[in-house]
């Protein structure tokens, strides 16, 4: 008679869109915070050399001794790099931070064997097994860093800004995802497309929503993130939206997106937010 131990694996989601300014990092930070407030243990891996997820959570990048760069080049284990950030309701987010030093990784790792799997190979499962979700913030390009994120992930979440050029680049992204599934990671799924910066007063926004839903169907997340001044302001204060203004429309929307993500993955959440 054999006995089997079923190990809990975290869901690894790459938040990606090679088009800049679509609310990608805003989604990473505030989705992570919302999931944490719903009693999920969350790790962000900042894989963007701009390090906006890092500074957006109040980390002084100049004070960092270890970053995602050290993980990629195999200099340090992820547990020694992770920083803990306290947010509202005594919850925590964990982040593997990034600085501009990460930009050099594209060049340094270019001739390394199996370079597309470096991130995946350098993350020890034992070190991340206690997390419910690992969210990777990708750079706004289809670079080696982005390919590494797709290789290491179970799924991708694509923020789409509600503006005229919303669909631009998505065809190329779809081709890249197809190639990654075919050659590198056959288990990569699409978690969903999330519409961001929606302005109900703008007819173009409404048109984009309809077009995206027509094109991607059920893959579009039900929650739409509005254009919200508080969401734009919060990173400059080094705070997630729930710490900056928990009552604003942006905060409510990211909480709904967090719930939707949990339910879509067959999970349940504990909502005991005291603020």
């Amino acid at each position: 008679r054999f006995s089997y131990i079923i190990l809990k694996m975290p869901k690894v989601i790459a938040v990606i869109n090679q088009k800049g300014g679509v609310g990608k990092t805003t989604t990473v930070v505030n989705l992570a915070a919302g999931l944490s407030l719903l009693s999920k243990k969350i790790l962000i891996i900042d894989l963007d050399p701009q390090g906006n997820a890092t500074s957006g959570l109040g980390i002084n990048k100049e004070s960092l001794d270890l970053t995602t760069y050290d993980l990629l080049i195999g200099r340090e284990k992820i547990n020694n790099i992770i920083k803990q950030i306290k947010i509202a309701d005594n919850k925590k987010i964990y982040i593997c931070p990034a600085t501009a030093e990460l930009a050099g990784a594209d060049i340094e790792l270019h001739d390394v064997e199996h370079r597309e799997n470096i991130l995946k190979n350098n993350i020890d499962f034992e070190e991340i097994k206690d997390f419910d979700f690992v969210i990777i913030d990708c750079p706004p390009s289809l670079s080696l860093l982005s390919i590494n994120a797709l290789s290491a992930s179970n799924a991708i979440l694509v923020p789409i800004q509600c503006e005229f050029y919303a669909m631009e680049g998505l065809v190329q992204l779809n081709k890249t995802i197809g190639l990654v599934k075919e050659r590198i990671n056959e288990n990569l799924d699409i978690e969903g497309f999330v519409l961001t910066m929606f302005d109900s007063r703008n007819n173009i926004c409404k048109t984009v929503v309809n077009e995206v839903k027509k094109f991607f169907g059920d893959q579009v997340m039900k929650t739409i993130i509005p254009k919200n001044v508080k969401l734009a302001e919060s990173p400059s204060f080094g705070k997630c939206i729930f710490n900056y203004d928990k009552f604003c429309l942006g905060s409510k929307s990211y909480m709904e997106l967090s719930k939707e993500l949990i339910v879509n993955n067959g999970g349940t959440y504990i909502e005991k937010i005291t603020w």
Side-chain angles (χ1 to χ4, degrees):
R1 179 178 294 181
F2 296 95
S3 61
Y4 297 92
I5 298 173
I6 300 175
L7 298 174
K8 182 180 82 71
M9 292 281 286
K11 180 73 176 279
V12 184
I13 301 173
V15 179
I16 188 168
N17 190 331
Q18 76 269 34
K19 192 173 184 297
V22 298
K24 178 176 58 64
T25 301
T26 298
T27 295
V28 168
V29 169
N30 294 309
L31 178 59
L35 291 167
S36 179
L37 287 168
L38 294 169
S39 298
K40 301 300 177 184
K41 189 173 182 181
I42 309 300
L43 170 64
I44 295 172
I45 297 178
D46 193 346
L47 205 62
D48 185 348
Q50 296 177 85
N52 290 337
T54 299
S55 58
L57 284 170
I59 296 174
N60 178 4
K61 288 185 279 189
E62 293 180 3
S63 69
L64 293 170
D65 295 321
L66 298 172
T67 67
T68 308
Y69 173 79
D70 297 285
L71 175 66
L72 280 175
I73 65 170
R75 183 189 293 166
E76 198 61 67
K77 289 184 173 292
I78 195 168
N79 265 357
N80 296 329
I81 303 171
I82 292 171
K83 298 285 184 184
Q84 179 181 292
I85 306 295
K86 292 182 179 178
I87 60 169
D89 202 39
N90 294 317
K91 301 294 186 181
K92 304 179 187 76
I93 300 175
Y94 298 83
I95 183 169
C96 187
T99 64
E101 186 180 28
L102 189 57
D106 253 328
I107 300 169
E108 290 179 47
L109 301 174
H110 192 268
D111 295 323
V112 176
E113 191 176 0
H114 304 301
R115 59 185 180 272
E116 68 278 0
N117 290 316
I118 292 167
L119 179 64
K120 181 180 181 179
N121 293 339
N122 286 0
I123 297 175
D124 186 343
F125 168 73
E126 284 296 319
E127 294 180 313
I128 65 167
K129 66 180 182 181
D130 292 333
F131 290 100
D132 295 295
F133 292 93
V134 177
I135 302 176
I136 305 176
D137 191 17
C138 300
S141 63
L142 293 177
S143 62
L144 180 57
L145 291 174
S146 297
I147 299 301
N148 265 267
L150 295 176
S151 170
S153 299
N154 307 120
I156 65 164
L157 183 68
V158 184
I160 302 176
Q161 183 183 359
C162 294
E163 51 97 37
F164 186 74
Y165 296 108
M167 303 295 284
E168 193 175 79
L170 289 180
V171 173
Q172 182 57 46
L173 179 60
N174 269 338
K175 285 181 181 177
T176 302
I177 293 165
L179 287 171
V180 169
K181 286 193 70 166
E182 182 182 325
R183 301 177 185 179
I184 303 170
N185 181 6
E186 63 180 12
N187 298 315
L188 184 67
D189 294 320
I190 294 177
E191 186 69 37
F193 296 85
V194 56
L195 291 154
T196 63
M197 303 182 198
F198 177 76
D199 185 347
S200 60
R201 301 165 297 180
N202 190 325
N203 286 331
I204 290 178
C205 284
K206 295 175 183 177
T207 301
V208 169
V209 169
N210 291 332
E211 287 298 310
V212 170
K213 287 183 175 180
K214 186 188 300 181
F215 194 81
F216 293 111
D218 292 341
Q219 291 181 321
V220 181
M221 304 294 281
K222 293 182 175 64
T223 306
I224 297 177
I225 307 301
K227 181 174 284 188
N228 183 252
V229 173
K230 300 296 184 180
L231 281 175
E233 290 176 349
S234 59
S236 63
F237 291 89
K239 295 180 178 181
C240 69
I241 192 60
F242 302 100
N243 280 26
Y244 185 64
D245 188 342
K246 60 198 175 196
F247 299 115
C248 74
L249 191 57
S251 176
K252 293 174 182 176
S253 298
Y254 272 109
M255 180 54 70
E256 288 307 308
L257 182 64
S258 302
K259 292 176 182 177
E260 185 178 356
L261 185 72
I262 292 170
V263 171
N264 286 354
N265 281 279
T268 57
Y269 53 83
I270 302 170
E271 189 171 7
K272 292 183 180 178
I273 302 170
T274 57
W275 39 258

